[in-house]
Amino acid sequence: MAVPAWIINLGTELCIGRTVNTNGSWLASRLTLLGADVRRIIVAPDTEDEAVPVIREAVEKARIIIITGGLGPTYDDRTAEFIARALGRRLRLNTEALRMVEEKYRAVGEPLTPERRKMAILPEGATPIPNPIGTAPGILIEADGYTLAALPGVPAEMKEMFTRYIEPVLRRLLPPVCVVEHCIRVEGVMESKAAPIVKRIARKHPRAYIKTHPEGREIGEPRIRICILLSAGECSEAEKEAKEILREAAEELSRLGGRVEQHA
Amino acid sequence: MAVPAWIINLGTELCIGRTVNTNGSWLASRLTLLGADVRRIIVAPDTEDEAVPVIREAVEKARIIIITGGLGPTYDDRTAEFIARALGRRLRLNTEALRMVEEKYRAVGEPLTPERRKMAILPEGATPIPNPIGTAPGILIEADGYTLAALPGVPAEMKEMFTRYIEPVLRRLLPPVCVVEHCIRVEGVMESKAAPIVKRIARKHPRAYIKTHPEGREIGEPRIRICILLSAGECSEAEKEAKEILREAAEELSRLGGRVEQHA
């Protein structure tokens, strides 16, 4: 039973290509290893017209939604507002979030200005997620049919908060699985020549995901990487099947003159 | 007049977080500099259920759509099919594309197998885009209301084909603009303290995009980067306004005790 997950990364710095979306791929990798089925990583601007429909669609189509960016104190940090609008919830000053924010600034003798207080205004029914590194709390909403978390865009804060506070919540949602990935590299066989073999093997092992990545040049310097992604209830079972599939692929491709490098 | 652009990057290697989507940010940066307004970068799996609705929505909402991935010879390379389905067009063997593919393989004495021939089956009305590095041609569709291009997922091929063949087409579509970006770094001022100043400046300069990026730690080691993105008909005009805005920001933040580093 696949549990669909969507990742939404908000921010103009991502849309203009100034920042590479490493948050998206980090989250995708973590969610995949937890056993979720990541079906979208969406970068969108932090404007109401663009962000609200994306969040609304995510809630309709996914069971897990992770949003990054837009939780800070500046005028364009509006993710809490977008989530509230997408879900049809009100925005409320969250007393627990306010306590978290206040504490941080009080410790350095700074007052609670409107910009700082704003970080504690969350959608109704949300649980604030502590931010051990920065100041903006995250947002967790567990509803019928979906679990949505919003985390800061600063990678260190996002990673720490996901690992500490979101992962345990998701583990309860997701069936216990073990996801493994193994790859081999094959030199001397064109991807187009490997294609029918890969297709045949893929048909034979429907629960494995088999992908070839061209690394060299199809014409002149053919080199491909073949990867198997497989999830199973037990790690040993997943490992065994993935290695079996790769052995099969390596054998057939060697017969075509390919030089196979294991564990690529 | 903003020309909306969507980027769609198809591939399970992106969804599982194995590959960071550098294609997405590279394209976003190029499209931004050409004057387009990038509103989505979407990573989705290369399955019909997921990819087709994304392409359909892109064509409805964007004027420029760039798709990467899924043009190769393997069983899961199905982007041409997804585009055809999303646009309601038939798939046809494109004789020009076939010539491109055939030529590549003939040069090394390789026959035209079904997997290789598949790379020349394109949506009706599409123009094949030559691939100077690999073998799979790209796809260009210029229709009423939108221009759609599909390019390989291999970064070197994608970049070369975009620069040589897609950029000239887009330049004809987009108004001639000059987009500039300038940043400063400010140490010693918290982002939450800079927020009201940034907001006031942003209101005063509605055509500039002003963004603060926290770099240090809000509490204890405050350091922020402030960037201005601005487009204008003339470069000199864009440069002048961007620098004026940064001067204003630097002045106000220095007054709060900030140490300003120019050209950050």
Side-chain angles (χ1 to χ4, degrees), chain B:
Chain B
M1 275 305 300
V3 178
W6 280 33
I7 297 164
I8 301 170
N9 307 103
L10 298 176
T12 305
E13 67 280 15
L14 295 165
C15 288
I16 65 171
R18 144 177 290 285
T19 305
V20 176
N21 189 17
T22 54
N23 279 349
S25 47
W26 187 88
L27 284 167
S29 165
R30 294 299 283 262
L31 288 167
T32 301
L33 291 173
L34 285 168
D37 185 15
V38 178
R39 297 200 186 153
R40 290 285 188 291
I41 306 173
I42 302 183
V43 165
D46 44 15
T47 60
E48 189 173 327
D49 284 355
E50 301 294 330
V52 172
V54 172
I55 299 170
R56 201 172 282 144
E57 195 188 349
V59 167
E60 275 164 27
K61 300 206 175 144
R63 179 81 188 74
I64 295 169
I65 302 105
I66 313 287
I67 302 171
T68 67
L71 298 181
T74 58
Y75 75 104
D76 57 347
D77 286 316
R78 296 173 58 197
T79 298
E81 187 189 331
F82 300 151
I83 294 171
R85 197 157 301 234
L87 305 183
R89 296 186 183 214
R90 284 184 201 176
L91 279 171
R92 284 278 171 89
L93 184 71
N94 183 297
T95 50
E96 200 185 336
L98 188 69
R99 193 189 45 70
M100 292 175 186
V101 174
E102 208 172 5
E103 220 167 55
K104 299 256 177 187
Y105 288 100
R106 202 195 307 126
V108 290
E110 286 282 332
L112 203 64
T113 61
E115 289 75 21
R116 290 165 185 162
R117 190 174 173 275
K118 177 174 89 73
M119 296 191 276
I121 299 176
L122 308 187
E124 222 169 10
T127 308
I129 304 165
N131 185 335
I133 294 173
T135 52
I139 299 170
L140 175 65
I141 297 176
E142 296 183 83
D144 265 6
Y146 66 87
T147 294
L148 178 151
L151 300 170
V154 177
E157 299 179 22
M158 183 280 289
K159 290 177 187 177
E160 180 74 13
M161 292 162 80
F162 181 85
T163 306
R164 266 210 223 180
Y165 302 107
I166 307 302
E167 229 181 83
V169 174
L170 299 183
R171 278 191 197 281
R172 288 197 300 271
L173 271 181
L174 292 161
V177 291
C178 184
V179 181
V180 302
E181 196 191 29
H182 288 294
C183 307
I184 57 172
R185 186 171 282 121
V186 182
E187 273 187 64
V189 177
M190 291 181 184
E191 192 185 23
S192 60
K193 211 166 219 169
I197 293 171
V198 171
K199 186 179 182 175
R200 197 165 57 238
I201 295 176
R203 288 230 171 117
K204 209 169 126 191
H205 301 274
R207 69 175 184 166
Y209 171 68
I210 305 175
K211 170 94 190 150
T212 63
H213 304 273
E215 287 192 335
R217 293 164 75 110
E218 170 90 350
I219 304 287
E221 194 199 335
R223 190 169 68 242
I224 53 177
R225 199 145 162 271
I226 302 181
C227 295
I228 311 290
L229 185 80
L230 211 144
S231 66
E234 296 290 332
C235 286
S236 57
E237 191 191 339
E239 289 280 347
K240 196 176 152 231
E241 189 172 345
K243 284 183 178 159
E244 236 171 65
I245 298 171
L246 281 178
R247 196 176 316 124
E248 206 175 320
E251 231 178 79
E252 295 220 37
L253 293 167
S254 297
R255 230 175 282 145
L256 292 181
R259 291 172 300 284
V260 178
E261 179 193 327
Q262 304 289 341
H263 315 296

